[in-house]
Amino acid sequence: MADQHRTDQHSASDPAAAGALAPAPPTATSPDPAAEPGTTEQPLADRGSNRSQRPTSEAFLAFVADRWADRPEGPAGPLPSASWAAARRAAISALFPGERLVVPAGPLKTRSNDTDYRFRPHSAFAHLTGLGTDQEPDAVLVLHPVDAGHEAVLYFRPASGRDTQEFFADSRYGEFWVGARPSLSDLAVLTGLTTANLDELAAALAKDVGEDGVRVRVVPGADDAVTALVDGVREHAADDRDALDAELAEALSELRLLKDEYEVEQMRAAVAATIEGFARVVRNLGRAVGHARGERVIEATFDGHAREAGNTVGYETIAAAGDHATTLHWIRNDGRVRRGEMVLVDAGVEVDSLYTADITRTLPVDGTFTDVQRRVYQAVLDTADAAFAVARPGSRFRDVHAAAMEVIAARLGEWGLLPGTVEESLAPEGQFHRRWMVHGTSHHLGLDVHDCAQARRELYLDAVLEPGMVFTIEPGLYFKADDLAVPEELRGIGVRIEDDVLITADGNENLSAALPRRPDDVEAWMRSLIEA
C-alpha cells in the first residue's frame, strides 16, 4: 500500500508508522526523538505527516494543477432503483408532514491508524436514495418540509478541483489516492435528487428551526458528527430528541418489511450469486481438507467469489467444520476440515445494490453422509419443511417458528433426549428442546442480513404474513462435543439448513430452491461438482 498522508487529520497516528523513513537528526526546528516524553510541541494528530515528503513549493502546486484532460461525461440516465427510491421517500414523507428528516450515509470508519474499512452506506440511506456499493461517504439525505410534502436534497462532498491540495495530497478523499468522486450533476442524474455541496448542510439544517419552528429528526447511530450537528440546531426544542429519532428509525425499518418489485429482483440476483459461491466451495473442498486452516480455504473461496460477483459478502462467512458447526456464529474459521465430518457453510453475496442473500447448507466433507449425520440432517430438513408449510399469507410470523419447534421437539423426544414428554417440552414452562436450537427459525432479509430490526414487535414477530415479505427459514440442531445429555454418536454434530423465502399471493417461493436441500440431492450435486 502506498504511504499515506492525511491533510484532514481524521484519525490519530501511530508513531511506529513513521518507521518507513529513517528518522532525521534533530535540528533547531525538529524535536529530538530522545527527548523526554511530553516535551514536543507537535500535536499528536499531526505526527502522521512526519513520514511524508510531499512538495509544497508554489512551482509544484502550479505544475500539478496544470494540463489535465476534461473529465469524462457523466451518467446518461438514472439508476434502475431511482424511481423505486422516490416512492419510498414519498411514503416516509407522508408519515412526518412538516418535519425535517435527516438520513446520513455514515462516515468512513477507521480500521487501524490511518487506514479505513471499505465504505458501505447506512441501509436507510441506500433504501431512500437507490445508491449502492461504496456511495457515498459522509453524504446526507435531507427531506426538507415544503407545502406539498418534502423536497429531498442530497448533500455530499463532490469531486474536488485539480487546483486544490485535496486533489493530490488527501489520502482519504483525494482523487490521486481513492479515485474521482462524482460531481453534483452526476448524482443528480443517477438519483433524480436535488444535490448540494456538503458545506451547505449546516445552514440547511438550521433553517426555520427554533422553539416553535420546524421539528428535526435524524437516524440515530448513522453518523455521530451529523447527529451532533442536528442536536446543535434543535438545542432549544422542547421535544424528546431521542424519542423523535427512534420513531424515524422505526418507520424506516418498517418501510422495508414489504419488498417492492425492484427489491425482489435484487434478492433473486443475490441468491443466484450465492448459489454459485456454494458450488465453488464444493469444488475446493479437496484443497480445504489438505490445508491446516481448511475453514479459511472455504471462507476465502466464497468471499473471493462475492467480490467478483457482487459488492462483497453480506455478513462474515461462517465456515464451521466438525464441532465448530455447533457454534452458531463461528467466524474465526481457523479449523481443519476433515473427511468423515460435515462442514456448515452460512454465507451470502451482497450485490452492488447492497441486498444480500443468507443461505446455509451443511455438507458432508467427503460427499456422503454417515447414517448418524443423515439422521440429524433429515430431522432438520423435516423441521424446515414444516415451517415452509405455514409460511403463507394469513399466518403470523411467529407461526413459522412454532411449526418448526413442534418437529424439533418430536424428533428429540423420539431419540429419548427430552427430560419429559414432547408436550411438556413445548409448553412455555418447559422448552427443553431449545437446548439444541437456541436461535429463532426466521428473520427478515434485505439490505441488512437481519433486516427491519427496528420494526415494532406487532409488525414483526406478531405480524400477519403478506405478499412481498422476504425472510429466512433456518432451523438447526447442535450437539456440542462436550454435551453429556446426548449419546456420544451425536456429539460434535451441528446441522443448519437455511433458505430465503418470498411470501406470494398464494403461498411462498423458496428463492434458494436451486441449491439442493435433500440429502440424496446434496450428495448427487456434490459428486457432479467434484467429478467435473
Side-chain angles (χ1 to χ4, degrees), residues 464-476:
V464 174
L465 300 183
E466 298 180 50
M469 288 183 172
V470 177
F471 53 83
T472 63
I473 290 180
E474 51 173 313

Side-chain angles (χ1 to χ4, degrees), residues 281-366:
V281 165
V282 171
R283 293 189 189 101
N284 280 275
L285 279 178
R287 190 163 65 89
V289 169
H291 197 285
R293 290 183 169 187
E295 291 175 341
R296 292 274 172 95
V297 172
I298 292 172
E299 176 190 351
T301 297
F302 188 90
D303 290 12
H305 168 74
R307 283 293 286 164
E308 293 176 25
N311 185 48
T312 185
V313 289
Y315 53 95
E316 294 292 333
T317 296
I318 297 169
D323 185 52
H324 288 167
T326 67
T327 300
L328 301 182
H329 287 169
W330 176 260
I331 59 172
R332 189 177 302 154
N333 299 340
D334 61 353
R336 297 206 73 107
V337 176
R338 297 179 175 89
R339 296 193 184 280
E341 295 185 341
M342 294 188 292
V343 58
L344 185 156
V345 182
D346 185 335
V349 172
E350 177 186 89
V351 292
D352 287 349
S353 60
L354 305 182
Y355 289 84
T356 187
D358 180 7
I359 300 174
T360 305
R361 290 294 184 267
T362 308
L363 308 170
V365 173
D366 57 11

